[in-house]
Amino acid sequence: MFVDHLIFATGPQGLQADAERLADALGTEYKNGGFHPRFGTRNHIIPLAGHRYVEVVEVLDHPVADQAMFGKAVRARSEMGGGWMGWAVSVDDIAPYEERLGRASVPGSRQFPDGRRLEWVQIGIKGLMADPQLPYFLQWKSDASLLPAALSGSVALKEIEISGSADRLSEWLAHPVADSLDGVALKLVSPNGQPGINTVTFETAKGLVTI
């Protein structure tokens, strides 16, 4: 189980402005990720060290965004002003998670600006929407050269502060969670309102940066 990426839903300023702001805060650059034809969204990618990344995502004015769970989740977070929407863990085999959650994973894809296509399957967006402390699960299907991890950068993900419960996370992941997961520190605090990601801390050339 690998802490794969963090999802930041855009606010009123839009995708490019939020991607630029986050990349500037971290002292790095972002990449134009393309769009998700199945979800009605598009994204920019901020590569991180250790084959992780930040996904800055924006919902499109397209009918598919009103049908796809991921599109609905992005729209809901953006309508709240934007910010950290959730996180994702990648797994080698998604079948055990399909069996445990009692439903099939759904295919996902991203069309790059140059026409290439990245593909995966995912499950758990409903869980994230109901309880935003929970990550969703994905299994990459494309060649490793197409994965966001191939863009690995120098900024390191150090800590995720989450309003939530270690017991709930452990149950969801079917994996014990205490103060870290896959080398990333998890700071779990009691929810004061909506559960979910409060802040994320990165190690940068400028020192620790918390967003």
Side-chain angles (χ1 to χ4, degrees), residues 12 32 54 207:
N32 184 348
V54 173

Side-chain angles (χ1 to χ4, degrees), residues 101-172:
L101 296 178
R103 57 183 180 272
S105 60
V106 299
S109 64
R110 175 157 55 87
Q111 197 78 25
F112 293 166
D114 62 9
R116 293 176 300 159
R117 191 178 184 90
L118 174 66
E119 297 183 314
W120 65 90
V121 292
Q122 66 184 50
I123 191 170
I125 295 296
K126 288 182 179 179
L128 182 154
M129 290 183 72
D131 190 355
Q133 69 178 296
L134 305 177
Y136 72 93
F137 306 95
L138 67 89
Q139 180 184 349
W140 296 109
K141 293 294 187 179
S142 292
D143 183 80
S145 64
L146 292 176
L147 304 188
L151 299 172
S152 189
S154 59
V155 174
L157 172 61
K158 299 300 290 183
E159 180 186 82
I160 309 173
E161 181 183 295
I162 301 173
S163 289
S165 158
D167 289 342
R168 179 70 179 109
L169 274 177
S170 298
E171 176 188 34
W172 177 253

Side-chain angles (χ1 to χ4, degrees), residues 9-28:
T10 59
Q13 293 184 319
L15 179 62
Q16 184 170 335
D18 278 346
E20 288 179 353
R21 177 174 62 84
L22 293 174
D24 286 348
L26 298 176
T28 188

Side-chain angles (χ1 to χ4, degrees), residues 6-23 30-34 36 40-46 54-61 65 70-86 211:
L6 297 151
I7 307 108
F8 189 97
T10 59
Q13 293 184 319
L15 179 62
Q16 184 170 335
D18 278 346
E20 288 179 353
R21 177 174 62 84
L22 293 174
Y30 69 89
K31 308 290 184 182
N32 184 348
H36 307 110
T41 55
R42 62 175 179 165
N43 72 12
H44 288 339
I45 298 295
I46 301 176
V54 173
E55 175 184 19
V56 187
V57 63
E58 177 178 70
V59 71
L60 300 174
D61 184 15
F70 187 77
K72 291 179 181 180
V74 175
R75 186 185 302 281
R77 188 66 182 90
S78 291
E79 288 178 349
M80 293 170 60
W84 295 115
M85 184 184 108
I211 296 173

